[in-house]
Amino acid sequence: AQTVTQSQPEMSVQEAETVTLSCTYDTSESDYYLFWYKQPPSRQMILVIRQEAYKQQNATENRFSVNFQKAAKSFSLKISDSQLGDAAMYFCACTTNTGNQFYFGTGTSLTVIP
Amino acid sequence: DAGVIQSPRHEVTEMGQEVTLRCKPISGHDYLFWYRQTMMRGLELLIYFNNNVPIDDSGMPEDRFSAKMPNASFSTLKIQPSEPRDSAVYFCASSPYPYEQYFGPGTRLTVT
């Protein structure tokens, strides 16, 4: 079975600063995918970034980047130059290549302070 | 593309009533997923379809829940009879592959 753990229920960051959200996972699969989703108050789940486990290079999408440590089973999200619109709940998720199950963490609520 | 479309966005019903939630996936996506989100249990996968065929329904909580996908552009999640503990936000998601999902806006269900 797979599990995804987000140990930070809440985080805050000053506008324009950088914040890192933590995520650890556990899977027995060798081929899997990791994701960060953002859920703003509108409750729409928005895909932020994706990382394939077989890729050593960390994924980057504009101000969002990940630190993927495969041996440690760690997948943290770094948000640079934080903006007020980044305030949301962030979910870490993991699935295998077959996609038979999609496991989500419990989420981290991010507050951006003006 | 308009993205995944769900209706209604909000549903309030009385205990014992039948509730039907609807989803239109993104055109060309072969996979469709139904999730339930609550504060207590977080996001739970209820069922998913591949090419309109249910593949895994082990997350469906009980027989009161049923899901169908009669064609590639439409799916329903039905609860009959509804109970207050079914109150949650229900998400539909679609994907061109099994490992990346695009979510709809969700339906907030309140059962009184």
Side-chain angles (χ1 to χ4, degrees):
Chain A
Q2 296 179 102
T3 59
V4 177
T5 302
Q6 293 179 250
S7 58
Q8 305 156 317
E10 296 178 347
M11 291 282 285
S12 62
V13 62
Q14 206 76 32
E15 192 176 5
E17 296 296 311
T18 296
V19 64
T20 298
L21 308 184
S22 301
C23 173
T24 58
Y25 61 93
D26 190 18
T27 179
S28 57
E29 302 288 333
S30 58
D31 195 8
Y32 54 91
Y33 297 80
L34 299 163
F35 305 86
W36 279 98
Y37 280 88
K38 170 185 176 182
Q39 187 177 38
S42 67
R43 78 169 179 255
Q44 174 80 52
M45 292 283 284
I46 302 165
L47 177 63
V48 174
I49 200 165
R50 180 182 85 173
Q51 174 81 42
E52 292 88 343
Y54 63 85
K55 290 187 177 179
Q56 292 185 331
Q57 187 173 7
N58 289 326
T60 299
E61 288 288 339
N62 300 315
R63 297 182 295 107
F64 298 87
S65 61
V66 300
N67 183 5
F68 175 45
Q69 301 290 327
K70 191 171 184 178
K73 295 186 176 176
S74 170
F75 182 61
S76 60
L77 175 69
K78 184 171 82 171
I79 306 174
S80 303
D81 186 24
S82 297
Q83 301 175 0
L84 295 178
D86 295 333
M89 187 73 104
Y90 286 82
F91 292 93
C92 179
C94 177
T95 189
T96 64
N97 188 34
T98 58
N100 287 337
Q101 277 291 351
F102 213 87
Y103 295 89
F104 284 86
T106 52
T108 296
S109 178
L110 178 67
T111 299
V112 180
I113 303 166
Chain B
D1 199 313
V4 176
I5 299 172
Q6 289 187 248
S7 64
R9 293 294 307 275
H10 304 273
E11 177 77 34
V12 180
T13 190
E14 292 183 348
M15 182 174 64
Q17 296 298 306
E18 177 180 294
V19 175
T20 299
L21 311 181
R22 296 173 176 78
C23 175
K24 176 179 169 56
I26 294 171
S27 178
H29 285 193
D30 293 332
Y31 292 84
L32 184 138
F33 304 79
W34 281 102
Y35 288 88
R36 177 172 67 177
Q37 185 179 35
T38 61
M39 288 294 293
M40 290 296 294
R41 301 174 69 90
L43 270 162
E44 301 174 278
L45 177 64
L46 300 177
I47 185 171
Y48 82 93
F49 296 82
N50 180 20
N51 291 321
N52 314 336
V53 176
I55 303 300
D56 185 352
D57 65 355
S58 60
M60 296 285 264
E62 47 197 277
D63 292 344
R64 298 184 296 106
F65 286 70
S66 63
K68 294 182 179 179
M69 192 165 186
N71 57 62
S73 59
F74 184 65
S75 177
T76 59
L77 178 67
K78 186 176 294 185
I79 308 172
Q80 166 64 20
S82 58
E83 297 182 3
R85 60 194 169 111
D86 301 331
S87 296
V89 179
Y90 290 81
F91 286 100
C92 175
S94 72
S95 174
Y97 330 100
Y99 47 80
E100 185 166 302
Q101 301 181 13
Y102 297 87
F103 284 76
T107 295
R108 180 177 293 279
L109 173 65
T110 302
V111 183
T112 59

